[in-house]
Every structure is written in structure tokens, then in C-alpha cells.
Amino acid sequence: MEKELFDQKRAPIYEALQTFRNMRVVPFDVPGHKHGRGNPELTDFLGEQCVGIDVNSMKPLDNLCHPVSVIREAEMLAADAFGAAHAFFMVGGTTSAVQSMVLSCCKRGDKIILPRNVHRSVINALVLCGAIPVYVNPEVDKRLGISLGMSRAQVKKAISAHPDAVAVLANNPTYYGICSDLRAIVKMAHDAGMVCLVDEAHGTHFYFGDKMPVSAMAAGADMTAVSMHKSGGSLTQSSLLLTGENISAGHVRQIINLTQTTSGSYLLMSSLDISRRNLALRGKDVFRKVVEMADYAREEINAVGGYYAYGSELINGDSIFDFDPTKLSVHTRDIGLAGIEVYDILRDEYDIQIEFGDIGNILAYLSIGDRMQELERLVSALAEIRRRYQRDPSGLLSQEYIDPEVVSSPQQAFYAEKKSIPLHESAGYVCSEFVMCYPPGIPILAPGERITREILDYIEYAKEKGCSMTGPEDPKIEYINVLEEDGRADESVV
């Protein structure tokens, strides 16, 4: 596709599906519901238009594993819209994009520099490939109890101590809206001969909004995973993997095809195609309105008293280099309620579903589909919750992030001989599985980390407050898998 043919008004997959719908093709292929006829209850629930385009790969519709026509054109348009050399449509969520990104750069024994407060998908990738994490423990805002970005000094120190590392990975932004100095991190990585990877799950709007923090591609990163389904408006589980000029697109495609389905959903792919077109044509205006709504909500919530809806005033030029203005993060601890308690009250008593609540904060995720009247409803509900439920905050835990003691690589610990013991008896053992609150999906414990009394107290507190705990083999999280032999690994892990 020549440069002059990058017409962002086009949506090639959508157009091909429209043509297919009008052809009245007789289906002797999969899926077995045959355009919905074989599953009338599903058709009634989702609608004929939806199930009618839930089809298999065929020549006119291209193939996600090896795109040569309409999917290739759609990916090229996405790359152009996001300022990337290549874009890959991902139908396994940003988890799949993050894992493909890491697996493209790291193999067994390679070191990768990254913050410990990463999404579990990053550590899952290390379990799969056997790479060794070099953790940069983030600074913590003690008042808010949240982990911050990667400071330049910490990254520089890690690179200096581990010049043989192959990659540096950054979260940008964090769930709470905190951004690192991405340009500086990219430069430090490149100067050391390392690639720079970015988990940009919550940063789709950085590419289209005005006066936003710098995007990964604009900062010169080599690869980034972007959750189009979060702030970009596509269907859940659809995502993009973007790469820069110095990354082999053919190699990345091979890595993606190791784990991604060979039966790519055209519902998900068309939603990526249509959403990219929407953002390219209208994103700047749309996200300007989102920022205006977020600014209004922050001002109103702070006027209620007790809460702290934080924003760009936190910027310190380093570990909080910038702030995502669309993020409506609210500290709740000063009214005597954990964030998860406010989360539950909003849902159960006010029919308001926010993104998540942790032990000290809530996040209301604002994006292209929000309206001002719904924000006013949220503000009113928070004011009423404060009036009805406020209590003495003494005794509430405040810190969300606990520095881990890493004993072995995630892969070694995950596949090692293990035993199941009661959680309350596990202090001192090395964990062989994950424990986390979801969302946000940042592990409290990851395979290979020492279990401490502080961590156990945190887990019990989070369970008591009603956080949704995931990860362990035991669904009740009363037992935990630990290494049979508590010896330090031969591998050097930081």
C-alpha cells in the first residue's frame, strides 16, 4: 500500500465483511452455527448481524496468521495512525500482545530490566521463555499508597549493574495514570544496546489526544502493547502490538503465531479496524472532551471533602514525570473506607460500576463513551457515601506495593517441585504461583519470591476487605503452593 493510499476513512476488514454479507455464501465450513441458524438462542441474544459475520478465515477475508490482503491493509492503516512501522492485530487481549513482545526479545537466561509492579502477563512471559527479571522497585507515594513510575536514576543504575541485559520494559501509564520519563528511558536503553518495550495497555488515547503524555512510539520505543478495547472503544479482548523501524516484523509475526489462535475472530478484528478509523478521524476532539470531564470530576470530588482525586499536581519530573489527564483516580482512605469498600458500595447500592478499588484508592475509567450526566451521578454517590459511611481511618493499611525478595527466576519456580501448605504457615517459603488482586492484576506474589509476614498480612487484609483475589491453584486462597526445597537458585536474579 503506497503512502498516498493510507486513507484513514477506510476500514478494509469491515468493508470486506460487508461485501461477504451481501454475497449470501452457503457455508460448508466452520463455525458450526452456520451464520447463527444452528444456534437460535445465541442468534436471538447477539443478533443476526453479529453472528452472521462470525466466520472462518477464507481468501476474500484474509488470514490473521499470514495476512496478505484486507487484514494486512487494516494493520498498515493502524500502523500509520499510531506512528508505528508495523501494527499487529491481537485477538488474545493485551496479555497476548505483552507476551509476544517479551518473547520476541528474550530467551532463556536473558536478563530483562523492568519494574516489579508489572501486569501478570509480563511475568507470565518470563515463565514461558525463562528470561531473568532485573527488578527496578518503584518509589511509593506513602500518602496514596501507590507505586510510581521508574526513576531515571534507578534505570541507569540497573543498566550499569547489568550491561548484559537485552531489554528494558516500562509501564506507561500505570493504572493510576502515573507516567515515567519515557524518552529518557528509551535513550538509556538504546545507548546500552538494549531494546525498549512498553506496556501501554492504558495509553491508547496518548496517540490521538492533545496535550497528552508522550506515546511509546513517539518516544522511540521498539515495541509497545496497546489495549484498544480500554480507552480506544474496540471490543473486549482486541488489542494492538506496535513495533518500530528496527524490529523485524516477520520475526514478531512468527512469535505471535506460537500462541495466538489460528481462528482469529472477525468480530474482534473488525472492531479494531472500525475503532482505529474512529480515533483517527475524531480522536482529538473526543479525548479533549474526556479530559474536560475528568477535570470537572476531580474538582467536584475534591470539593466534597475527605476524598482526594489526584492529577497533574503530583508531577515531580522523574518518578511522576507526567500524568494521564483522563484517569479519575481517587484516594478514599481519609474517609475511613478502603477503595474496594467504596467500589462495592457504588455497585451494590448505586448501580455504578467503576474499574477497580484497592485498599486505598478507586479508579473510574473515563473514555470515549462517557457522558457528563453519568459523572455527576458518580460525584453525587461519592458525596452520599461519605455522609453515610465515613469513619475513623485509623487501622487501615495504606501501602499498596511491597518490595519483593526474589529468590529464583519465575520459570524455575513455576516448574519446580512444589507442595501445598496453609497460607498462614507459609512465611519464609518461596512461592511457586501467583497471588494478586484483579483488577489491576499486578502480582502481590509471583513465582520465585519469598513469602513474608508483611505480604501475608496484606493478603489477609485484602481478602477481608473484599478484594477479588486470583492466581493460586486453591480458589479459596487458604493454601498456597511453595517450593519443596527452599534453596536459592543457581541463576542470578535481582
Side-chain angles (χ1 to χ4, degrees):
M1 188 188 296
E2 297 297 329
K3 184 68 177 177
E4 59 266 23
L5 297 181
F6 281 131
D7 181 0
Q8 292 295 336
K9 295 178 182 177
R10 292 200 58 224
I13 297 173
Y14 164 75
E15 293 161 9
L17 287 169
Q18 289 285 61
T19 300
F20 170 80
R21 193 199 301 276
N22 294 333
M23 289 172 64
R24 303 174 66 87
V25 170
V26 178
F28 288 108
D29 61 351
V30 297
H33 60 66
K34 306 293 181 174
H35 300 178
R37 293 194 301 269
N39 195 340
E41 292 89 351
L42 181 67
T43 304
D44 288 344
F45 181 61
L46 296 180
E48 287 185 15
Q49 280 209 311
C50 179
V51 295
I53 58 167
D54 179 38
V55 293
N56 191 30
S57 297
M58 58 188 76
K59 280 190 175 181
L61 297 180
D62 209 355
N63 188 302
L64 183 60
C65 293
H66 187 79
V68 294
S69 58
V70 294
I71 297 175
R72 179 172 178 269
E73 290 176 14
E75 289 184 336
M76 293 176 75
L77 283 166
D80 181 63
F82 282 82
H86 299 278
F88 300 88
F89 280 15
M90 307 297 296
V91 295
T94 308
T95 288
S96 179
V98 166
Q99 291 178 347
S100 295
M101 180 170 68
V102 174
L103 294 174
S104 294
C105 303
C106 299
K107 61 182 182 301
R108 180 171 172 78
D110 284 345
K111 293 180 183 177
I112 178 172
I113 296 168
L114 67 163
R116 173 56 180 76
N117 60 321
V118 290
H119 188 265
R120 71 167 294 174
S121 59
V122 177
I123 303 177
N124 283 348
L126 304 186
V127 169
L128 292 173
C129 72
I132 300 169
V134 175
Y135 287 130
V136 175
N137 287 319
E139 295 176 11
V140 171
D141 184 306
K142 292 183 179 178
R143 176 190 173 187
L144 301 176
I146 63 172
S147 51
L148 307 179
M150 299 168 80
S151 75
R152 291 184 294 271
Q154 288 174 323
V155 175
K156 182 178 180 181
K157 180 180 177 182
I159 289 174
S160 177
H162 300 273
D164 54 339
V166 300
V168 178
L169 183 144
N171 293 331
N172 207 70
T174 69
Y175 233 126
Y176 303 97
I178 307 298
C179 298
S180 302
D181 187 352
L182 205 51
R183 283 193 174 96
I185 292 171
V186 169
K187 185 176 188 308
M188 284 188 278
H190 288 173
D191 287 349
M194 304 173 190
V195 296
C196 188
L197 314 176
V198 182
D199 180 350
E200 207 171 22
H202 299 277
T204 304
H205 46 289
F206 288 3
Y207 292 86
F208 301 98
D210 268 335
K211 299 177 181 178
M212 293 283 182
V214 67
S215 69
M217 286 291 102
D222 296 289
M223 303 180 75
T224 184
V226 179
S227 280
M228 275 287 276
H229 70 91
K230 289 187 170 71
S231 59
S234 64
L235 291 178
T236 295
Q237 203 175 306
S238 59
S239 184
L240 294 175
L241 177 57
L242 307 177
T243 65
E245 293 286 353
N246 296 322
I247 298 295
S248 166
H251 173 66
V252 173
R253 181 77 71 187
Q254 286 185 317
I255 296 295
I256 290 171
N257 286 342
L258 289 176
T259 56
Q260 182 157 262
T261 178
T262 56
S263 304
S265 166
Y266 281 87
L267 295 173
L268 297 181
M269 287 188 281
S270 61
S271 82
L272 285 169
D273 199 22
I274 295 167
S275 299
R276 180 271 314 155
R277 180 175 67 177
N278 180 50
L279 295 183
L281 299 180
R282 292 176 281 275
K284 191 166 287 190
D285 183 56
V286 166
F287 288 120
R288 177 182 55 78
K289 293 175 182 175
V290 173
V291 172
E292 288 174 357
M293 287 191 292
D295 286 342
Y296 165 81
R298 272 188 285 271
E299 184 177 341
E300 292 295 306
I301 291 169
N302 287 332
V304 167
Y307 300 103
Y308 176 30
Y310 41 95
S312 59
E313 72 279 357
L314 296 180
I315 292 173
N316 62 21
D318 192 10
S319 59
I320 312 175
F321 185 77
D322 209 342
F323 188 85
D324 176 0
T326 72
K327 290 290 185 293
L328 185 55
S329 302
V330 183
H331 188 59
T332 65
R333 187 175 174 274
D334 291 343
I335 66 165
L337 294 176
I340 187 63
E341 291 175 309
V342 176
Y343 170 99
D344 286 338
I345 294 168
L346 283 169
R347 183 195 61 246
D348 296 343
E349 300 189 26
Y350 295 90
D351 294 328
I352 295 174
Q353 181 62 58
I354 58 173
E355 176 67 11
F356 80 88
D358 58 33
I359 65 171
N361 302 271
I362 59 172
L363 173 67
Y365 208 100
L366 304 189
S367 191
I368 61 178
D370 287 293
R371 299 177 299 178
M372 189 63 81
Q373 57 264 41
E374 288 158 349
L375 265 181
E376 290 171 347
R377 184 174 161 189
L378 173 63
V379 173
S380 297
L382 289 174
E384 195 168 302
I385 288 171
R386 182 198 176 212
R387 179 178 59 81
R388 293 174 60 199
Y389 293 101
Q390 184 171 12
R391 57 177 182 253
D392 184 353
S394 59
L396 291 181
L397 281 184
S398 62
Q399 187 144 321
E400 184 67 23
Y401 175 76
I402 302 170
D403 287 351
E405 179 193 342
V406 181
V407 177
S408 75
S409 72
Q411 185 185 68
Q412 185 184 37
F414 188 82
Y415 289 110
E417 292 297 319
K418 63 194 73 173
K419 60 184 177 182
S420 179
I421 64 174
L423 181 67
H424 67 273
E425 297 176 7
S426 64
Y429 285 90
V430 177
C431 189
S432 70
E433 56 186 354
F434 291 93
V435 182
M436 73 200 79
C437 299
Y438 186 85
I442 297 167
I444 303 165
L445 276 170
E449 294 177 358
R450 180 87 61 193
I451 302 169
T452 65
R453 174 49 54 191
E454 184 183 17
I455 289 171
L456 292 179
D457 289 344
Y458 179 91
I459 292 172
E460 291 296 343
Y461 181 85
K463 286 170 63 178
E464 177 189 322
K465 290 297 183 183
C467 290
S468 177
M469 308 293 289
T470 67
E473 191 175 311
D474 173 21
K476 295 182 179 179
I477 317 184
E478 294 172 352
Y479 288 79
I480 191 165
N481 289 337
V482 299
L483 299 193
E484 279 274 11
E485 295 184 12
D486 181 14
R488 288 189 175 271
D490 293 332
E491 296 165 333
S492 173
V493 182
V494 176

